[in-house]
Amino acid sequence: MKITFCCTQTPPEPWLAGFRTALPQATIEAWAPGAPPADYAVVWAPPQQFLDEQQELKGIFNIGAGVDALMKLTLPEGAAVVRIDDGGMAAQMAEFVCHAVIRHFRELDGYEVDVAQGKWSFRKPRLRSAYPVGVMGLGVLGDRVARALTGFDFPVLGWSRSPRQVDRVRCFAGQDQFNDFLSGSRFLVCLLPLTPETEGIMRRETLSMLKPGGYVINVARGGHLVEEDLVALIDEGHLAGAALDVFRTEPLAAEHAFWTHPKITVTPHTSARTLRDESIAQIAGKIAGMARGEPVAGVVDRKRGY
Amino acid sequence: MKITFCCTQTPPEPWLAGFRTALPQATIEAWAPGAPPADYAVVWAPPQQFLDEQQELKGIFNIGAGVDALMKLTLPEGAAVVRIDDGGMAAQMAEFVCHAVIRHFRELDGYEVDVAQGKWSFRKPRLRSAYPVGVMGLGVLGDRVARALTGFDFPVLGWSRSPRQVDRVRCFAGQDQFNDFLSGSRFLVCLLPLTPETEGIMRRETLSMLKPGGYVINVARGGHLVEEDLVALIDEGHLAGAALDVFRTEPLAAEHAFWTHPKITVTPHTSARTLRDESIAQIAGKIAGMARGEPVAGVVDRKRGY
């Protein structure tokens, strides 16, 4: 079995070593133009040339949860595209979102400012019932985030394309129930896949429906958000602020207004990192399963786009 | 039934109104010196004179979770001392501790510094298995905090005076197992009651046993911590830092070194506020139960001190 590795911006050596240990019967090499055809590929943002050359691939394993960049390329017909299911990402995502929700709800950012000025301050505790959290996207990551939030007794709402059930979460589905979901939410957390349908889903029209004092947390893709609309709604006072981990252009341009906006917290796409050991174990297991003809989890529906 | 209200630093009117609605058959008044004897008292940091005069009290309800200040006074012999069980505090405590743990583990404070300087930075993800969290105290609050931490897949250790069981938490009990608990922990969270036995429990001798790079979170009482020992161990490099919400003297003195120490995060005793509505409902329910001769939860063992 031949595996080719083509991940831009990722030093290949530790990955190759990990796969060689996990799959000793396989040959695994970093891809170079003109390399012989392989059976399986491990990729992140590969060039189109790679896909054009590797026409015999049976499986393409993406080392991130979002395959939006990959789906814009022309892929070999016969290859299954497989995303990372969790690989330690769900716990990280739950951490990142809970940290952002708690920090805003409990005004811990405000206390930090007070303390930096030597002030022992008191802020009236906020009512939890006035801060329902809406989670868009209830896949592996969204489900985990929504459940983590219920652990702190927040009212949690969930929205997904097709109906889902999550314990203690009020679930909405489809376009028909989207407005009810939005108007019931004060926090809005985006964990949707980026597809032509979800591009720009957070824009003036939708963000205006959030409860006054709304707070936006985007940990999915920059393309989900119309940036100017968010800034306008914050500056107009309808939204209280935002925590943004993803952007239309990454790294965020030096002159971008987000860097210094007092009500926007920027992080450098760090909400859920691909963890090498977990990812190698997961992908190696799936390659072995696929080679034995077994079905594997996380295969992308090419038509749906995720 | 007569209820007297004696909470220093708390405007009495909204509490009196709440109790009058919850217990319409009772008479409830704010205490003043020389007031007639009452059956039940709702207190926070009452003066000794109050307790000396109110010798007929059957129940003294403390509107905080910690009764250490109250237990230092001379109390009427026949009165049961009752603390708040939860009253919305457990969820707040879980929030506050998880926020502090996640913030340090994920280096979100560091990313914030980078972003303030316009830097799109990358920090190598830390291994969760290298960051076990030890929770001291497994009462209503500690149990909730420990369980919340397991939700993010941290290895969690718990320590309490008498043996306890908490799902997915490795529990230790008593003096014999204290060193094993400490040496297995990297984060140390204090949620113990303050008693003569736990005073100064976090000192050089014990904090030195934490794994290198340890991080201390104190949300119990300032008296649990020997402040100079903590600062010395941070400055010597054995500990990575601390998040402190409680102090030996509150408000923290203006000249205290904690305000500006770069590795210590100070908050003004805000980890779990007493929430008025929840507390009134809980105490009113207990007073009604006690008046009917029923046992109530949260009665303090005077000898044990909590």
Side-chain angles (χ1 to χ4, degrees):
Chain A
M1 177 200 312
K2 280 186 187 161
I3 304 174
T4 182
F5 183 87
C6 181
C7 297
T8 54
Q9 301 172 331
T10 306
E13 292 73 19
W15 287 84
L16 298 176
F19 277 112
R20 284 174 187 142
T21 305
L23 295 169
Q25 74 284 19
T27 309
I28 172 152
E29 297 295 343
W31 176 77
D39 307 300
Y40 302 99
V42 177
V43 307
W44 180 250
Q48 182 62 51
Q49 185 190 353
F50 167 82
L51 298 161
D52 291 344
E53 288 188 18
Q54 293 287 327
Q55 286 295 321
E56 294 175 34
L57 289 175
K58 300 186 197 91
I60 301 176
F61 294 83
N62 193 61
I63 63 168
V67 293
D68 46 290
L70 193 57
M71 298 315 279
K72 288 188 184 141
L73 302 173
T74 306
L75 302 168
E77 283 289 326
V81 175
V82 187
R83 52 183 157 66
I84 289 281
D85 285 330
D86 178 335
M89 276 191 189
Q92 291 182 72
M93 209 48 116
E95 277 178 341
F96 189 92
V97 172
C98 288
H99 175 274
V101 167
I102 294 167
R103 193 163 176 78
H104 178 67
F105 172 62
R106 296 290 299 275
E107 298 189 83
L108 292 167
D109 46 356
Y111 280 115
E112 212 165 275
V113 170
D114 295 345
V115 165
Q117 299 170 355
K119 269 194 243 166
W120 181 271
S121 59
F122 173 80
R123 288 157 190 264
K124 200 166 180 293
R126 291 171 167 175
L127 271 182
R128 196 177 296 276
S129 56
Y131 284 82
V133 187
V135 179
M136 295 197 291
L138 294 173
V140 174
L141 302 181
D143 176 275
R144 177 75 177 254
V145 167
R147 284 186 292 116
L149 288 162
T150 64
F152 299 108
D153 297 350
F154 285 100
V156 181
L157 298 79
W159 181 78
S160 50
R161 195 167 104 134
S162 45
R164 301 259 187 177
Q165 287 203 325
V166 186
D167 248 19
R168 300 173 64 194
V169 174
R170 205 173 139 214
C171 290
F172 298 76
Q175 206 49 53
D176 288 355
Q177 299 178 7
F178 192 41
N179 292 358
D180 287 344
F181 162 79
L182 289 170
S183 59
S185 300
R186 189 155 181 183
F187 282 101
L188 181 67
V189 181
C190 181
L191 275 158
L192 290 166
L194 182 63
T195 67
E197 284 174 22
T198 64
E199 210 281 334
I201 193 168
M202 291 186 285
R203 55 183 182 275
R204 176 173 281 278
E205 176 198 350
T206 51
L207 295 178
S208 300
M209 282 188 227
L210 294 177
K211 288 183 185 297
Y215 192 89
V216 172
I217 299 171
N218 191 13
V219 283
R221 287 288 182 263
H224 287 118
L225 178 70
V226 178
E227 300 185 342
E228 317 81 80
D229 288 3
L230 174 79
V231 172
L233 284 164
I234 293 175
D235 293 345
E236 290 163 20
H238 179 66
L239 298 179
L244 305 176
D245 188 51
V246 290
F247 306 91
R248 292 208 169 233
T249 306
E250 295 180 11
L252 190 61
E255 67 282 6
H256 201 291
F258 285 167
W259 284 110
T260 52
H261 196 293
K263 293 181 175 167
I264 295 177
T265 299
V266 167
T267 42
H269 202 146
T270 190
S271 54
R273 298 275 188 198
T274 297
L275 301 177
R276 195 170 60 222
D277 293 352
E278 278 88 339
S279 301
I280 289 172
Q282 183 183 130
I283 293 171
K286 288 184 180 182
I287 289 177
M290 212 179 255
R292 289 190 302 263
E294 297 166 6
V296 301
V299 174
V300 171
D301 176 336
R302 288 206 191 182
K303 200 168 150 201
R304 202 178 57 166
Y306 66 96
Chain B
M1 178 198 313
K2 279 185 187 163
I3 305 174
T4 181
F5 183 87
C6 182
C7 296
T8 53
Q9 301 172 331
T10 307
E13 293 72 19
W15 287 85
L16 297 176
F19 277 111
R20 284 174 187 142
T21 305
L23 295 169
Q25 74 283 19
T27 310
I28 172 152
E29 297 296 345
W31 177 77
D39 306 300
Y40 302 99
V42 178
V43 306
W44 180 252
Q48 183 61 51
Q49 185 191 355
F50 167 82
L51 298 162
D52 290 344
E53 289 188 16
Q54 292 288 326
Q55 286 295 322
E56 293 175 35
L57 289 174
K58 299 185 197 91
I60 301 176
F61 293 83
N62 193 60
I63 64 168
V67 293
D68 45 289
L70 193 57
M71 298 314 280
K72 287 188 183 140
L73 302 173
T74 306
L75 303 167
E77 283 289 327
V81 175
V82 188
R83 53 185 156 65
I84 288 283
D85 285 330
D86 179 336
M89 276 190 190
Q92 291 182 72
M93 208 48 114
E95 279 179 339
F96 189 92
V97 171
C98 288
H99 175 274
V101 167
I102 295 167
R103 194 163 177 76
H104 178 67
F105 173 63
R106 296 290 300 276
E107 299 188 81
L108 292 167
D109 46 356
Y111 280 116
E112 214 166 272
V113 170
D114 296 344
V115 165
Q117 299 170 355
K119 268 194 246 166
W120 181 271
S121 60
F122 173 80
R123 288 158 190 263
K124 199 164 179 292
R126 291 171 166 175
L127 272 183
R128 196 177 296 278
S129 56
Y131 283 82
V133 187
V135 178
M136 296 197 290
L138 295 173
V140 174
L141 303 180
D143 176 275
R144 177 74 177 255
V145 166
R147 284 187 292 116
L149 289 162
T150 65
F152 299 109
D153 297 350
F154 285 100
V156 182
L157 298 79
W159 182 78
S160 51
R161 195 167 106 133
S162 46
R164 302 257 187 177
Q165 287 203 326
V166 186
D167 248 19
R168 300 173 65 195
V169 174
R170 206 174 139 213
C171 291
F172 299 76
Q175 206 49 52
D176 288 355
Q177 300 179 6
F178 192 41
N179 293 358
D180 288 344
F181 162 80
L182 289 170
S183 59
S185 300
R186 189 155 181 182
F187 282 101
L188 181 67
V189 181
C190 182
L191 275 158
L192 290 167
L194 183 62
T195 66
E197 284 175 21
T198 64
E199 211 280 335
I201 193 168
M202 291 185 285
R203 56 183 181 273
R204 175 173 282 277
E205 176 199 350
T206 50
L207 296 178
S208 300
M209 283 187 226
L210 294 176
K211 287 182 185 297
Y215 191 89
V216 172
I217 300 171
N218 191 12
V219 283
R221 286 288 182 264
H224 286 119
L225 177 70
V226 178
E227 300 187 341
E228 316 81 78
D229 288 2
L230 174 80
V231 173
L233 285 163
I234 293 175
D235 293 346
E236 289 163 22
H238 179 66
L239 298 179
L244 306 177
D245 188 50
V246 289
F247 306 92
R248 292 209 169 231
T249 306
E250 296 179 10
L252 191 61
E255 67 282 5
H256 201 291
F258 284 166
W259 284 110
T260 53
H261 196 292
K263 292 180 177 168
I264 295 177
T265 300
V266 167
T267 43
H269 203 147
T270 190
S271 54
R273 297 276 187 197
T274 297
L275 301 177
R276 196 171 58 222
D277 293 351
E278 280 87 340
S279 302
I280 289 172
Q282 184 183 129
I283 293 171
K286 287 185 180 183
I287 289 178
M290 212 179 256
R292 288 190 303 264
E294 296 166 7
V296 301
V299 174
V300 171
D301 177 335
R302 287 205 190 183
K303 201 169 147 200
R304 203 178 57 167
Y306 65 95

